[in-house]
């Protein structure tokens, strides 16, 4: 875009012209193209995923209203992922779709440890479903779009980027949620339980929380954790998992140490908290230890650690490969079922 007329200006005339151009907010052509591409990307994401986002109105056992939130349809027959704190222990929820349909739903399962819950629509209908992406492939700086349906008949949208991966967040029951995505895509009231979506249209997380007083810091439970919880809730109505008694987050391994020890993985799960008298405490694990493997299976993230502590590990003594300072060590933990 040309800022000046075609005739030549001397230096005294050019400066006022430049100021005037700045005041009109003209952008170079390449900047306009980038802004246009970003806008189109966000618009396409909303068009693709928006119809899969629903409003949930929770019904208590006594018939009274129990609040509301958002959810995302993850299968055409009416499976809906949302937050545990949205359903709040209720058995029933009213579901409002983007096109205005009012459906009834029942809570199939609730997992406060990950702040996730699963609702199934009662009616025999086919609904637009979003697809769960692979949150393990995400990188900080990628586009993230948070979508909610707090009022029904409409979607609310905020866009930003992924700020950090593998965070830990304390849930409402006091336990740590691992494998959490941090984003600056602000959560509007009622957006809890809605999807966090990548630029390819895949759901990469379920929006769960915002830090009060910390502008622009929001969190979503990663899609890989959501997929694991979804499978457990469908199969068992609850998530059976082995209890280790730690809080963890993903960390990059020091390259020098990884090369010296011959490690193929570049990341692990660093222990941020050890619960007193838990299996990890009895095994001798400490805050700052990095979990590299559980029973021989590599641990590259906090999400890997969560998934490897499945029902098959309950009442088992499992070997844990740990990086402590610069040494690889093995500890044995007597795992039990988390209740």
């Amino acid at each position: 875009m040309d800022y000046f007329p075609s005739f030549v200006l001397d230096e005294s005339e050019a400066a006022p012209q430049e100021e005037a151009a700045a005041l009109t907010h003209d952008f170079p052509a390449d900047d306009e193209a980038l802004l246009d591409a970003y806008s189109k990307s966000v618009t396409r994401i909303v068009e693709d995923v928006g119809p899969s986002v629903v409003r949930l109105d929770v019904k208590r056992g006594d018939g009274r209203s129990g609040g509301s939130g958002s959810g995302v349809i993850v299968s055409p027959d009416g499976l809906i992922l949302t937050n545990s704190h949205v359903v709040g222990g209720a058995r029933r929820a009213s579901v409002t779709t983007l096109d205005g349909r009012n459906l009834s739903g029942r809570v199939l399962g609730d997992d406060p440890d990950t702040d996730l819950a699963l609702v199934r629509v009662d009616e025999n209908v086919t609904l637009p479903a979003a697809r769960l992406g692979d949150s393990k492939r995400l990188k900080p700086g990628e586009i993230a779009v948070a979508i909610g349906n707090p009022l029904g008949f409409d979607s609310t949208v905020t866009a930003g980027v992924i700020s950090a991966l593998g965070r830990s967040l304390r849930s409402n029951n006091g336990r740590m949620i691992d494998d959490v995505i941090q984003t600056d895509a602000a959560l509007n009231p009622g957006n809890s339980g809605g999807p966090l979506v990548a630029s390819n249209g895949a759901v990469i997380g379920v929006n769960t929380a915002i830090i009060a007083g910390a502008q622009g810091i929001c969190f979503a439970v990663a899609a890989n954790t959501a997929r694991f919880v979804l499978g457990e809730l469908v199969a068992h109505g609850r998530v059976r998992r082995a209890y280790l008694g730690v809080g963890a987050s993903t960390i990059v391994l020091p390259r020098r140490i990884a090369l010296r020890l011959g490690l193929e993985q570049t990341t692990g799960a660093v222990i941020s908290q050890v619960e007193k008298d838990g299996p990890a405490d009895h095994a001798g694990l400490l805050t700052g230890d990095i979990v590299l493997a559980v029973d021989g299976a590599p641990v590259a993230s906090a999400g890997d650690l969560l998934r490897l502590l499945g029902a098959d590990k309950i009442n088992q003594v499992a070997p844990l490969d740990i990086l402590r300072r610069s040494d690889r060590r093995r500890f044995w933990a007597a795992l039990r079922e988390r209740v």
Side-chain angles (χ1 to χ4, degrees), residues 229-306:
V229 172
L230 170 64
E232 290 290 300
L233 293 180
V234 168
H236 309 295
R238 65 188 179 96
V239 179
R240 296 188 69 224
R241 57 168 64 91
Y243 168 62
L244 180 59
V246 299
S249 58
T250 304
I251 190 172
V252 176
L253 301 177
R255 179 173 173 79
R256 176 179 56 82
I257 295 175
L259 288 173
R260 181 172 61 81
L261 298 177
L263 300 176
E264 294 183 1
Q265 65 205 79
T266 59
T267 55
V270 61
I271 296 175
S272 57
Q273 180 185 20
V274 177
E275 295 183 15
K276 185 178 180 181
D277 294 327
D281 188 21
H282 290 162
L285 299 186
L286 302 173
T287 300
D289 285 346
I290 300 174
V291 183
L292 300 175
V294 174
D295 200 13
V299 173
S301 67
D304 285 348
L305 180 60
L306 177 68

Side-chain angles (χ1 to χ4, degrees), residues 55-136:
R55 172 189 169 103
L56 296 173
D57 293 290
V58 176
K59 297 179 180 178
R60 302 294 184 195
D62 55 9
R64 293 187 301 173
S65 174
S68 64
S70 299
V72 56
I73 303 168
V74 291
S75 73
D77 61 348
L79 283 178
I80 300 170
L81 269 174
T82 187
N83 289 147
S84 172
H85 76 260
V86 169
V87 301
R91 293 287 191 91
R92 305 288 304 177
S94 175
V95 180
T96 305
T97 63
L98 187 65
D99 59 9
R101 282 180 286 179
N102 291 307
L103 307 170
S104 59
R106 69 185 187 278
V107 179
L108 284 186
D110 182 7
D111 186 44
D113 285 359
T114 55
D115 196 25
L116 292 172
L118 189 64
V119 176
R120 180 184 285 280
V121 170
D122 291 329
E123 288 83 356
N124 184 19
V125 293
T126 300
L127 299 170
R131 61 186 175 91
L132 291 175
D134 184 1
S135 55
K136 196 172 182 178

